[in-house]
Amino acid sequence: MDAKSKIAVVTGAGSGIGRAVAVELLRTGWSVALAGRRAEPLEETAALAPGSPGIVVRTDVSRPEDVTALFAAVRERFGRLDLLFNNAGTFGPGGVPFEDLPFDAWRHVVDTNLNGAFLCAQGAYRLMKEQEPRGGRIINNGSVSAHAPRPLSAPYTATKHALTGLTKSLSLDGRAHGIAVGQIDIGNAATEMTARMRAGVLQANGETVPEPVMDVADVARTVRHMAELPLEANVQFATVLATAMPYVGRG
């Protein structure tokens, strides 16, 4: 693959995993549309790879009109799309018992993690089906929570399980159009959102225990590996996690 000719959209590119993946792609020759709710963090991401071909598009993925504008900007600037990294997401309120969870909080997580992924995948599908040469790749950011929940995490866990179903369905439907769809399930990458892991997080037995983390750059390299496969090959699911985190074997 000649990465210099490849175009990507990265959502949630203003921080964390999205920032790391966007910078990894920019530094290795990709052109990247950086999408996120606030322009300033996106500009900061772009500045980490000076001189690289990228654009900043302020996007709230839960708003259909924002997503439409994002893919219109990609079409206008680059003329095609080779990769969508469907990454934007939120944990939602932590430590709230299920029976006390406000509906607005539930809806915010669903709108961002699931509806946002649907809207962006739909925008990518439409562009990838129409372009020439046809096809492209979508990588959804799942989580180890797509397999096993943490305590008091119903909105996040439900959306990540649903994202797995979306990935499988899109992967099947995409075959006819040269669209490869996969998912990366990530556990304890060191970002702003996971800073609490080192201080201690609630475990299933009720204890609060610090957890190991891994360098987010290792996640970014994995995403790039998945992205740079030829479309005849696909990583359907990849799990990348801190080696010693309490997940495998439930401890």
Side-chain angles (χ1 to χ4, degrees):
M1 169 181 285
D2 178 9
K4 295 186 185 305
S5 66
K6 297 299 178 178
I7 313 301
V9 168
V10 177
T11 66
S15 64
I17 291 168
R19 171 172 284 179
V21 169
V23 170
E24 176 73 12
L25 294 175
L26 286 167
R27 287 177 173 169
T28 54
W30 287 69
S31 298
V32 182
L34 308 170
R37 290 183 297 107
R38 295 182 296 131
E40 184 177 355
L42 298 174
E43 297 286 359
E44 292 171 357
T45 298
L48 294 174
S52 300
I55 59 172
V56 167
V57 186
R58 196 212 62 77
T59 309
D60 181 341
V61 297
S62 69
R63 296 171 60 88
E65 60 271 27
D66 280 17
V67 175
T68 298
L70 167 63
F71 287 94
V74 171
R75 185 194 297 270
E76 180 179 352
R77 175 64 179 270
F78 301 115
R80 65 174 292 108
L81 177 65
D82 299 288
L83 170 69
L84 165 65
F85 182 45
N86 228 347
N87 166 73
T90 180
F91 284 135
V96 179
F98 180 75
E99 65 273 19
D100 297 329
L101 186 72
F103 176 69
D104 285 348
W106 167 274
R107 185 168 57 187
H108 174 65
V109 177
V110 172
D111 282 345
T112 304
N113 295 5
L114 182 57
N115 294 342
F118 158 76
L119 290 169
C120 289
Q122 192 174 61
Y125 246 66
R126 288 169 174 162
L127 185 51
M128 290 172 177
K129 283 180 64 175
E130 295 172 2
Q131 64 195 15
E132 189 62 43
R134 191 177 64 167
R137 189 180 305 275
I138 299 171
I139 301 173
N140 292 323
N141 183 352
S143 169
V144 294
S145 290
H147 304 271
R150 289 186 177 277
L152 306 178
S153 68
Y156 185 75
T157 299
T159 56
K160 292 304 184 178
H161 275 66
L163 194 62
T164 296
L166 181 66
T167 297
K168 291 178 179 180
S169 186
L170 294 177
S171 183
L172 179 60
D173 294 345
R175 292 177 182 175
H177 311 293
I179 300 172
V181 184
Q183 181 169 312
I184 182 167
D185 295 324
I186 301 163
N188 288 17
T191 68
E192 301 93 324
M193 289 180 70
T194 59
R196 61 193 177 93
M197 301 294 180
R198 295 178 181 178
V201 290
L202 182 64
Q203 305 295 306
N205 64 0
E207 296 180 3
T208 298
V209 178
E211 293 188 10
V213 297
M214 62 175 170
D215 191 335
V216 70
D218 294 324
V219 175
R221 284 190 288 269
T222 303
V223 171
R224 183 165 70 88
H225 167 71
M226 295 169 69
E228 293 186 348
L229 289 172
L231 289 178
E232 292 75 19
N234 186 41
V235 176
Q236 187 67 72
F237 291 96
T239 303
V240 183
L241 71 165
T243 304
M245 72 173 289
Y247 172 65
V248 177
R250 301 185 183 182

